[in-house]
Amino acid sequence: MKTLQWFPGHMAKAVRAMEKSVAVCDGIIYVLDARCPAASYNRTLEKLFGNRPVLYVLNKCDLADGAEKFVKIFKDNGAACVAVNAADSRSKRDIAGAISSLIEERRKKDGERGFKRTFRFLVCGAPNTGKSTLINLIAGNARARTGDKAGVTRGEQWIRLGEWELLDTPGTTPPSFENNRLALHLAYVGSLNDEILDLDDICLSLFEELWVKYPAALSCRYGIEGGSPLEMLDKVCARRGFLLRGNECDYERAERAVIDDFRKGRLGRITLDEQADCAVFGWNK
Ligand SMILES: Nc1nc2c(ncn2[C@@H]2O[C@H](COP(=O)(O)OP(=O)(O)OP(=O)(O)O)[C@@H](O)[C@H]2O)c(=O)[nH]1
Ligand SMILES: [Mg+2]
């Protein structure tokens, strides 16, 4: 398995732009993928934030298994955190409430002094975690462009919403990954550009990990009862009829189908990161 690496020029540019924009922001909305909150966290961004309050949003909680366990870890460590499904309007109240609490004290102080002002927030996170979808949820309509692949938002965009202004930013990952297992999690959820990934590697290691953590998901959907990851892929080809001429397995088609099943939640609710992976947040220092 190759070490995953991906830090294209547009990401370096996005980080430089954020460095400037954060100066006018009152708070940070850090969007993480609830299936892999630690993997989708980029520690190198934290130094841009200064002492601005940060709200961690565990998004796509509809696809994750037990996002609330992670919310508890964040809160136990004094971090503001909320789990939401940005694609569902029912999450609007939760996210709006969490943002309000983040700046409540500032607002109260301003109120005592008799002024009312706009609060600005930087919305950041890894590609494809749902930053733009979250902004649209808060706005109540489609202001920011969204899409089911990494790198849809290419430049910064301010979205004005009454007394709030939210800055949508392009997704970024760290310049290098310290932990290849966590980098793989980002690849599985679609946070890395699929075009730079080796489909075989990604799918076979996804099988390996799911067989340990969620064997029933593989048995139910594909009838997998064990074996090597390659044998599991054979099973998918046979079961789903992904065959080429001469009855040879169409591995590429099977791999794409498996990854798509995982990403769309057809394998059930799955969380990849372990609670111990939260060490990346550096809370115990
Ligand atoms: N199931 C589910 N899908 C979601 C959720 N939030 C976003 N999505 C989907 O995830 C995909 C990515 O959403 P975007 O809002 O474009 O993500 P982004 O973080 O802005 O991505 P970049 O701009 O590429 O960094 C879209 O297909 C959304 O519909 C969620 O909570 N649950
Ligand atoms: Mg976006």
Side-chain angles (χ1 to χ4, degrees), residues 89-146:
S89 59
R90 284 173 298 183
S91 281
K92 183 172 173 173
R93 247 187 35 199
D94 294 341
I95 183 68
I99 297 174
S100 291
S101 319
L102 200 66
I103 39 121
E104 200 170 83
E105 258 178 55
R106 276 290 292 277
R107 217 167 108 192
K108 228 190 262 165
K109 264 189 209 154
D110 285 353
E112 282 160 12
R113 287 196 230 131
F115 51 79
K116 200 168 176 279
R117 63 184 193 87
T118 302
F119 285 94
R120 298 191 178 87
F121 300 92
L122 177 85
V123 182
C124 63
N128 203 34
T129 48
K131 300 174 290 301
S132 304
T133 307
L134 186 80
I135 291 173
N136 290 341
L137 172 76
I138 302 165
N141 54 27
R143 303 272 194 97
R145 204 159 76 86
T146 65

Short mmCIF file of all heavy atoms in Angstrom, two decimals, residues 89-146:
data_model
loop_
_atom_site.label_atom_id
_atom_site.label_comp_id
_atom_site.label_asym_id
_atom_site.label_seq_id
_atom_site.Cartn_x
_atom_site.Cartn_y
_atom_site.Cartn_z
N SER A 89 -33.28 19.31 6.60
CA SER A 89 -33.66 20.61 7.17
C SER A 89 -33.92 20.52 8.67
O SER A 89 -33.89 21.53 9.37
CB SER A 89 -34.87 21.15 6.43
OG SER A 89 -35.93 20.23 6.56
N ARG A 90 -34.17 19.30 9.17
CA ARG A 90 -34.42 19.19 10.61
C ARG A 90 -33.19 19.52 11.45
O ARG A 90 -33.28 19.72 12.65
CB ARG A 90 -34.93 17.78 10.95
CG ARG A 90 -36.39 17.59 10.54
CD ARG A 90 -36.82 16.17 10.71
NE ARG A 90 -36.02 15.29 9.84
CZ ARG A 90 -36.21 13.98 9.74
NH1 ARG A 90 -37.13 13.39 10.47
NH2 ARG A 90 -35.47 13.25 8.92
N SER A 91 -32.00 19.51 10.81
CA SER A 91 -30.78 19.83 11.55
C SER A 91 -30.55 21.34 11.66
O SER A 91 -29.62 21.78 12.34
CB SER A 91 -29.55 19.21 10.86
OG SER A 91 -29.44 17.85 11.17
N LYS A 92 -31.39 22.13 11.01
CA LYS A 92 -31.14 23.58 10.96
C LYS A 92 -31.15 24.19 12.36
O LYS A 92 -30.31 25.02 12.69
CB LYS A 92 -32.20 24.24 10.06
CG LYS A 92 -31.98 25.72 9.91
CD LYS A 92 -32.91 26.32 8.88
CE LYS A 92 -32.78 27.84 8.89
NZ LYS A 92 -33.51 28.46 7.82
N ARG A 93 -32.12 23.79 13.16
CA ARG A 93 -32.22 24.35 14.51
C ARG A 93 -30.98 24.04 15.34
O ARG A 93 -30.47 24.89 16.06
CB ARG A 93 -33.45 23.79 15.21
CG ARG A 93 -34.46 24.88 15.43
CD ARG A 93 -35.64 24.50 16.26
NE ARG A 93 -35.38 23.56 17.34
CZ ARG A 93 -36.35 22.84 17.90
NH1 ARG A 93 -37.58 22.95 17.48
NH2 ARG A 93 -36.08 22.03 18.89
N ASP A 94 -30.48 22.80 15.23
CA ASP A 94 -29.31 22.39 16.02
C ASP A 94 -28.09 23.22 15.66
O ASP A 94 -27.37 23.69 16.51
CB ASP A 94 -28.99 20.90 15.79
CG ASP A 94 -30.09 20.01 16.33
OD1 ASP A 94 -30.88 20.50 17.16
OD2 ASP A 94 -30.15 18.83 15.91
N ILE A 95 -27.87 23.38 14.36
CA ILE A 95 -26.66 24.09 13.94
C ILE A 95 -26.79 25.59 14.27
O ILE A 95 -25.85 26.21 14.78
CB ILE A 95 -26.30 23.84 12.44
CG1 ILE A 95 -24.99 24.53 12.07
CG2 ILE A 95 -27.37 24.25 11.46
CD1 ILE A 95 -23.79 23.96 12.70
N ALA A 96 -27.97 26.15 14.03
CA ALA A 96 -28.16 27.58 14.33
C ALA A 96 -27.99 27.83 15.83
O ALA A 96 -27.34 28.80 16.24
CB ALA A 96 -29.53 28.04 13.85
N GLY A 97 -28.52 26.92 16.64
CA GLY A 97 -28.39 27.06 18.10
C GLY A 97 -26.94 26.99 18.53
O GLY A 97 -26.48 27.77 19.37
N ALA A 98 -26.18 26.06 17.93
CA ALA A 98 -24.77 25.89 18.31
C ALA A 98 -23.95 27.12 17.91
O ALA A 98 -23.06 27.55 18.65
CB ALA A 98 -24.21 24.62 17.67
N ILE A 99 -24.26 27.71 16.76
CA ILE A 99 -23.52 28.91 16.33
C ILE A 99 -23.85 30.07 17.27
O ILE A 99 -22.96 30.81 17.71
CB ILE A 99 -23.83 29.27 14.86
CG1 ILE A 99 -23.38 28.14 13.93
CG2 ILE A 99 -23.16 30.58 14.47
CD1 ILE A 99 -23.77 28.32 12.47
N SER A 100 -25.13 30.21 17.61
CA SER A 100 -25.53 31.29 18.53
C SER A 100 -24.79 31.18 19.85
O SER A 100 -24.29 32.17 20.37
CB SER A 100 -27.03 31.22 18.83
OG SER A 100 -27.74 31.56 17.71
N SER A 101 -24.71 29.94 20.38
CA SER A 101 -24.04 29.78 21.69
C SER A 101 -22.58 30.17 21.60
O SER A 101 -22.00 30.65 22.57
CB SER A 101 -24.08 28.33 22.19
OG SER A 101 -25.30 27.76 21.94
N LEU A 102 -21.99 29.95 20.44
CA LEU A 102 -20.55 30.21 20.27
C LEU A 102 -20.22 31.70 20.50
O LEU A 102 -19.16 32.02 21.02
CB LEU A 102 -20.14 29.81 18.85
CG LEU A 102 -18.67 29.55 18.58
CD1 LEU A 102 -18.20 28.34 19.36
CD2 LEU A 102 -18.42 29.34 17.09
N ILE A 103 -21.16 32.56 20.14
CA ILE A 103 -20.87 34.01 20.21
C ILE A 103 -21.79 34.72 21.21
O ILE A 103 -21.85 35.95 21.25
CB ILE A 103 -20.99 34.67 18.82
CG1 ILE A 103 -22.19 34.11 18.04
CG2 ILE A 103 -19.72 34.50 18.01
CD1 ILE A 103 -23.17 35.11 17.65
N GLU A 104 -22.47 33.90 22.03
CA GLU A 104 -23.46 34.47 22.95
C GLU A 104 -22.86 35.55 23.86
O GLU A 104 -23.42 36.64 24.01
CB GLU A 104 -24.05 33.35 23.79
CG GLU A 104 -25.37 33.71 24.41
CD GLU A 104 -25.99 32.47 25.02
OE1 GLU A 104 -25.62 32.13 26.17
OE2 GLU A 104 -26.80 31.84 24.34
N GLU A 105 -21.70 35.23 24.43
CA GLU A 105 -21.10 36.18 25.38
C GLU A 105 -20.74 37.50 24.71
O GLU A 105 -21.00 38.57 25.24
CB GLU A 105 -19.85 35.56 26.00
CG GLU A 105 -20.12 35.05 27.40
CD GLU A 105 -18.91 34.39 27.99
OE1 GLU A 105 -17.85 35.05 28.02
OE2 GLU A 105 -19.03 33.23 28.39
N ARG A 106 -20.13 37.36 23.51
CA ARG A 106 -19.76 38.57 22.76
C ARG A 106 -21.00 39.42 22.48
O ARG A 106 -20.97 40.64 22.60
CB ARG A 106 -19.18 38.18 21.38
CG ARG A 106 -17.72 37.83 21.29
CD ARG A 106 -16.74 38.97 21.48
NE ARG A 106 -16.64 40.02 20.49
CZ ARG A 106 -15.92 39.94 19.37
NH1 ARG A 106 -15.28 38.84 19.07
NH2 ARG A 106 -15.83 40.96 18.57
N ARG A 107 -22.06 38.73 22.14
CA ARG A 107 -23.29 39.42 21.77
C ARG A 107 -23.89 40.14 22.97
O ARG A 107 -24.36 41.26 22.87
CB ARG A 107 -24.27 38.41 21.22
CG ARG A 107 -25.06 39.00 20.09
CD ARG A 107 -25.79 37.95 19.35
NE ARG A 107 -27.19 38.08 19.66
CZ ARG A 107 -28.08 37.17 19.34
NH1 ARG A 107 -27.68 36.06 18.77
NH2 ARG A 107 -29.33 37.35 19.61
N LYS A 108 -23.82 39.45 24.10
CA LYS A 108 -24.36 40.05 25.32
C LYS A 108 -23.59 41.32 25.67
O LYS A 108 -24.16 42.35 25.97
CB LYS A 108 -24.24 39.02 26.46
CG LYS A 108 -25.55 38.90 27.25
CD LYS A 108 -25.35 38.09 28.50
CE LYS A 108 -25.78 36.65 28.30
NZ LYS A 108 -25.29 35.76 29.36
N LYS A 109 -22.26 41.21 25.58
CA LYS A 109 -21.41 42.37 25.90
C LYS A 109 -21.72 43.53 24.97
O LYS A 109 -21.86 44.67 25.41
CB LYS A 109 -19.93 41.99 25.75
CG LYS A 109 -19.32 41.59 27.08
CD LYS A 109 -17.82 41.43 26.94
CE LYS A 109 -17.33 40.40 27.95
NZ LYS A 109 -16.10 39.75 27.52
N ASP A 110 -21.84 43.22 23.67
CA ASP A 110 -22.17 44.25 22.69
C ASP A 110 -23.51 44.89 23.03
O ASP A 110 -23.68 46.10 22.97
CB ASP A 110 -22.26 43.66 21.27
CG ASP A 110 -20.90 43.35 20.69
OD1 ASP A 110 -19.90 43.73 21.32
OD2 ASP A 110 -20.84 42.74 19.61
N GLY A 111 -24.48 44.05 23.42
CA GLY A 111 -25.83 44.51 23.75
C GLY A 111 -25.79 45.48 24.93
O GLY A 111 -26.45 46.53 24.92
N GLU A 112 -24.97 45.12 25.94
CA GLU A 112 -24.86 46.00 27.12
C GLU A 112 -24.32 47.37 26.73
O GLU A 112 -24.69 48.39 27.31
CB GLU A 112 -23.93 45.36 28.16
CG GLU A 112 -24.62 44.25 28.95
CD GLU A 112 -23.63 43.31 29.62
OE1 GLU A 112 -22.43 43.64 29.68
OE2 GLU A 112 -24.07 42.21 30.06
N ARG A 113 -23.43 47.36 25.75
CA ARG A 113 -22.86 48.65 25.31
C ARG A 113 -23.75 49.33 24.27
O ARG A 113 -23.41 50.39 23.75
CB ARG A 113 -21.47 48.41 24.70
CG ARG A 113 -20.46 48.08 25.76
CD ARG A 113 -19.05 48.25 25.19
NE ARG A 113 -18.26 47.07 25.47
CZ ARG A 113 -17.53 46.40 24.60
NH1 ARG A 113 -17.50 46.75 23.34
NH2 ARG A 113 -16.82 45.35 24.97
N GLY A 114 -24.84 48.67 23.96
CA GLY A 114 -25.84 49.29 23.07
C GLY A 114 -25.55 49.16 21.59
O GLY A 114 -26.12 49.88 20.79
N PHE A 115 -24.64 48.27 21.17
CA PHE A 115 -24.54 48.12 19.73
C PHE A 115 -24.81 46.71 19.22
O PHE A 115 -24.67 45.74 19.94
CB PHE A 115 -23.27 48.73 19.12
CG PHE A 115 -21.96 48.36 19.73
CD1 PHE A 115 -21.35 47.14 19.45
CD2 PHE A 115 -21.31 49.26 20.57
CE1 PHE A 115 -20.13 46.83 20.00
CE2 PHE A 115 -20.09 48.95 21.12
CZ PHE A 115 -19.49 47.73 20.85
N LYS A 116 -25.22 46.73 17.99
CA LYS A 116 -25.63 45.51 17.32
C LYS A 116 -24.75 45.39 16.09
O LYS A 116 -24.52 46.38 15.40
CB LYS A 116 -27.09 45.71 16.87
CG LYS A 116 -27.83 44.42 16.60
CD LYS A 116 -29.32 44.75 16.45
CE LYS A 116 -30.10 43.53 16.09
NZ LYS A 116 -30.22 43.01 14.87
N ARG A 117 -24.19 44.24 15.85
CA ARG A 117 -23.31 44.16 14.68
C ARG A 117 -23.41 42.78 14.03
O ARG A 117 -24.06 41.88 14.54
CB ARG A 117 -21.88 44.43 15.09
CG ARG A 117 -21.34 43.41 16.06
CD ARG A 117 -19.95 43.81 16.48
NE ARG A 117 -19.28 42.72 17.18
CZ ARG A 117 -18.61 41.76 16.60
NH1 ARG A 117 -18.51 41.70 15.30
NH2 ARG A 117 -18.04 40.83 17.31
N THR A 118 -22.73 42.66 12.90
CA THR A 118 -22.74 41.39 12.17
C THR A 118 -21.63 40.51 12.71
O THR A 118 -20.52 40.99 12.97
CB THR A 118 -22.46 41.70 10.68
OG1 THR A 118 -23.47 42.59 10.23
CG2 THR A 118 -22.48 40.44 9.85
N PHE A 119 -21.91 39.24 12.88
CA PHE A 119 -20.88 38.27 13.29
C PHE A 119 -20.45 37.47 12.07
O PHE A 119 -21.29 37.00 11.31
CB PHE A 119 -21.41 37.35 14.39
CG PHE A 119 -21.49 38.03 15.72
CD1 PHE A 119 -22.67 38.63 16.13
CD2 PHE A 119 -20.38 38.10 16.54
CE1 PHE A 119 -22.74 39.30 17.34
CE2 PHE A 119 -20.43 38.76 17.76
CZ PHE A 119 -21.62 39.36 18.16
N ARG A 120 -19.15 37.34 11.93
CA ARG A 120 -18.63 36.62 10.76
C ARG A 120 -17.96 35.32 11.17
O ARG A 120 -17.24 35.28 12.17
CB ARG A 120 -17.61 37.49 10.02
CG ARG A 120 -18.21 38.76 9.49
CD ARG A 120 -17.27 39.48 8.55
NE ARG A 120 -17.94 40.67 8.06
CZ ARG A 120 -17.93 41.82 8.70
NH1 ARG A 120 -17.25 41.96 9.81
NH2 ARG A 120 -18.58 42.86 8.22
N PHE A 121 -18.19 34.30 10.36
CA PHE A 121 -17.64 32.97 10.67
C PHE A 121 -16.92 32.39 9.45
O PHE A 121 -17.43 32.46 8.33
CB PHE A 121 -18.76 31.99 11.07
CG PHE A 121 -19.52 32.43 12.28
CD1 PHE A 121 -20.66 33.20 12.15
CD2 PHE A 121 -19.09 32.09 13.55
CE1 PHE A 121 -21.37 33.62 13.26
CE2 PHE A 121 -19.78 32.50 14.67
CZ PHE A 121 -20.93 33.27 14.53
N LEU A 122 -15.79 31.80 9.75
CA LEU A 122 -15.05 31.07 8.71
C LEU A 122 -15.53 29.62 8.76
O LEU A 122 -15.50 28.99 9.82
CB LEU A 122 -13.55 31.13 9.02
CG LEU A 122 -12.63 30.36 8.08
CD1 LEU A 122 -12.30 31.23 6.87
CD2 LEU A 122 -11.34 29.98 8.77
N VAL A 123 -16.00 29.11 7.63
CA VAL A 123 -16.44 27.70 7.58
C VAL A 123 -15.35 26.92 6.85
O VAL A 123 -15.08 27.16 5.67
CB VAL A 123 -17.80 27.57 6.83
CG1 VAL A 123 -18.27 26.12 6.82
CG2 VAL A 123 -18.85 28.47 7.48
N CYS A 124 -14.71 26.01 7.56
CA CYS A 124 -13.58 25.31 6.94
C CYS A 124 -13.68 23.80 7.21
O CYS A 124 -14.51 23.35 8.00
CB CYS A 124 -12.26 25.87 7.46
SG CYS A 124 -12.04 25.63 9.22
N GLY A 125 -12.80 23.06 6.57
CA GLY A 125 -12.78 21.61 6.76
C GLY A 125 -12.25 20.91 5.52
O GLY A 125 -11.94 21.56 4.51
N ALA A 126 -12.14 19.61 5.60
CA ALA A 126 -11.63 18.81 4.48
C ALA A 126 -12.61 18.86 3.30
O ALA A 126 -13.79 19.17 3.49
CB ALA A 126 -11.41 17.37 4.95
N PRO A 127 -12.15 18.54 2.10
CA PRO A 127 -13.05 18.52 0.94
C PRO A 127 -14.22 17.54 1.15
O PRO A 127 -14.04 16.49 1.79
CB PRO A 127 -12.15 18.02 -0.20
CG PRO A 127 -10.77 18.37 0.23
CD PRO A 127 -10.76 18.24 1.72
N ASN A 128 -15.36 17.93 0.66
CA ASN A 128 -16.53 17.03 0.60
C ASN A 128 -17.16 16.72 1.96
O ASN A 128 -17.97 15.79 2.08
CB ASN A 128 -16.13 15.72 -0.11
CG ASN A 128 -17.32 14.99 -0.70
OD1 ASN A 128 -18.28 15.61 -1.15
ND2 ASN A 128 -17.29 13.67 -0.66
N THR A 129 -16.78 17.47 3.00
CA THR A 129 -17.37 17.19 4.32
C THR A 129 -18.77 17.81 4.46
O THR A 129 -19.47 17.53 5.43
CB THR A 129 -16.47 17.72 5.46
OG1 THR A 129 -16.10 19.06 5.14
CG2 THR A 129 -15.23 16.88 5.64
N GLY A 130 -19.13 18.68 3.51
CA GLY A 130 -20.49 19.25 3.54
C GLY A 130 -20.53 20.70 4.01
O GLY A 130 -21.56 21.17 4.49
N LYS A 131 -19.43 21.43 3.83
CA LYS A 131 -19.38 22.84 4.27
C LYS A 131 -20.42 23.68 3.53
O LYS A 131 -21.17 24.43 4.14
CB LYS A 131 -17.98 23.43 4.00
CG LYS A 131 -16.87 22.69 4.74
CD LYS A 131 -15.49 23.19 4.37
CE LYS A 131 -15.06 22.84 2.95
NZ LYS A 131 -15.04 21.39 2.65
N SER A 132 -20.45 23.56 2.21
CA SER A 132 -21.37 24.38 1.41
C SER A 132 -22.82 23.96 1.67
O SER A 132 -23.72 24.81 1.75
CB SER A 132 -21.03 24.25 -0.08
OG SER A 132 -19.68 24.60 -0.30
N THR A 133 -23.03 22.66 1.84
CA THR A 133 -24.39 22.17 2.13
C THR A 133 -24.87 22.72 3.47
O THR A 133 -26.03 23.10 3.63
CB THR A 133 -24.40 20.62 2.17
OG1 THR A 133 -23.82 20.13 0.96
CG2 THR A 133 -25.80 20.06 2.31
N LEU A 134 -23.95 22.77 4.43
CA LEU A 134 -24.28 23.29 5.76
C LEU A 134 -24.69 24.76 5.68
O LEU A 134 -25.66 25.20 6.30
CB LEU A 134 -23.07 23.12 6.69
CG LEU A 134 -23.32 23.47 8.14
CD1 LEU A 134 -24.01 22.31 8.85
CD2 LEU A 134 -22.02 23.80 8.87
N ILE A 135 -23.93 25.52 4.88
CA ILE A 135 -24.25 26.95 4.71
C ILE A 135 -25.64 27.09 4.07
O ILE A 135 -26.46 27.89 4.50
CB ILE A 135 -23.16 27.65 3.88
CG1 ILE A 135 -21.87 27.71 4.70
CG2 ILE A 135 -23.60 29.04 3.43
CD1 ILE A 135 -20.66 28.23 3.95
N ASN A 136 -25.91 26.27 3.07
CA ASN A 136 -27.22 26.33 2.42
C ASN A 136 -28.34 25.95 3.39
O ASN A 136 -29.44 26.51 3.33
CB ASN A 136 -27.25 25.40 1.20
CG ASN A 136 -26.38 25.92 0.06
OD1 ASN A 136 -26.04 27.11 0.03
ND2 ASN A 136 -26.01 25.05 -0.86
N LEU A 137 -28.04 25.03 4.28
CA LEU A 137 -29.05 24.63 5.28
C LEU A 137 -29.38 25.82 6.17
O LEU A 137 -30.55 26.11 6.42
CB LEU A 137 -28.50 23.47 6.13
CG LEU A 137 -29.35 23.08 7.33
CD1 LEU A 137 -30.57 22.28 6.89
CD2 LEU A 137 -28.55 22.25 8.34
N ILE A 138 -28.34 26.53 6.63
CA ILE A 138 -28.56 27.66 7.51
C ILE A 138 -29.28 28.78 6.75
O ILE A 138 -30.18 29.43 7.26
CB ILE A 138 -27.23 28.17 8.10
CG1 ILE A 138 -26.53 27.04 8.86
CG2 ILE A 138 -27.47 29.36 9.03
CD1 ILE A 138 -25.06 27.31 9.18
N ALA A 139 -28.90 28.95 5.48
CA ALA A 139 -29.51 30.01 4.67
C ALA A 139 -30.95 29.68 4.29
O ALA A 139 -31.76 30.57 4.06
CB ALA A 139 -28.69 30.21 3.39
N GLY A 140 -31.26 28.41 4.23
CA GLY A 140 -32.61 28.01 3.84
C GLY A 140 -32.78 27.92 2.33
O GLY A 140 -33.86 27.66 1.83
N ASN A 141 -31.72 28.20 1.58
CA ASN A 141 -31.77 28.02 0.13
C ASN A 141 -30.36 27.80 -0.42
O ASN A 141 -29.38 27.95 0.30
CB ASN A 141 -32.46 29.19 -0.58
CG ASN A 141 -31.83 30.52 -0.20
OD1 ASN A 141 -30.67 30.58 0.15
ND2 ASN A 141 -32.61 31.58 -0.27
N ALA A 142 -30.28 27.41 -1.70
CA ALA A 142 -28.99 27.01 -2.27
C ALA A 142 -28.17 28.22 -2.68
O ALA A 142 -28.25 28.67 -3.82
CB ALA A 142 -29.25 26.09 -3.45
N ARG A 143 -27.36 28.74 -1.77
CA ARG A 143 -26.52 29.89 -2.09
C ARG A 143 -25.14 29.44 -2.56
O ARG A 143 -24.49 30.10 -3.34
CB ARG A 143 -26.29 30.75 -0.84
CG ARG A 143 -27.53 31.25 -0.20
CD ARG A 143 -27.99 32.56 -0.81
NE ARG A 143 -28.98 33.11 0.10
CZ ARG A 143 -28.69 34.02 1.02
NH1 ARG A 143 -27.50 34.51 1.12
NH2 ARG A 143 -29.63 34.44 1.83
N ALA A 144 -24.66 28.35 -2.00
CA ALA A 144 -23.31 27.89 -2.31
C ALA A 144 -23.39 26.62 -3.16
O ALA A 144 -24.30 25.80 -2.97
CB ALA A 144 -22.54 27.62 -1.02
N ARG A 145 -22.44 26.47 -4.07
CA ARG A 145 -22.46 25.31 -4.96
C ARG A 145 -21.99 24.07 -4.18
O ARG A 145 -21.02 24.12 -3.43
CB ARG A 145 -21.53 25.55 -6.14
CG ARG A 145 -21.89 24.72 -7.36
CD ARG A 145 -21.29 25.37 -8.61
NE ARG A 145 -19.86 25.12 -8.70
CZ ARG A 145 -19.33 24.04 -9.25
NH1 ARG A 145 -20.11 23.09 -9.76
NH2 ARG A 145 -18.03 23.88 -9.31
N THR A 146 -22.69 22.96 -4.37
CA THR A 146 -22.33 21.71 -3.68
C THR A 146 -22.19 20.59 -4.72
O THR A 146 -22.62 20.74 -5.86
CB THR A 146 -23.43 21.30 -2.68
OG1 THR A 146 -24.62 20.99 -3.42
CG2 THR A 146 -23.74 22.40 -1.68
#
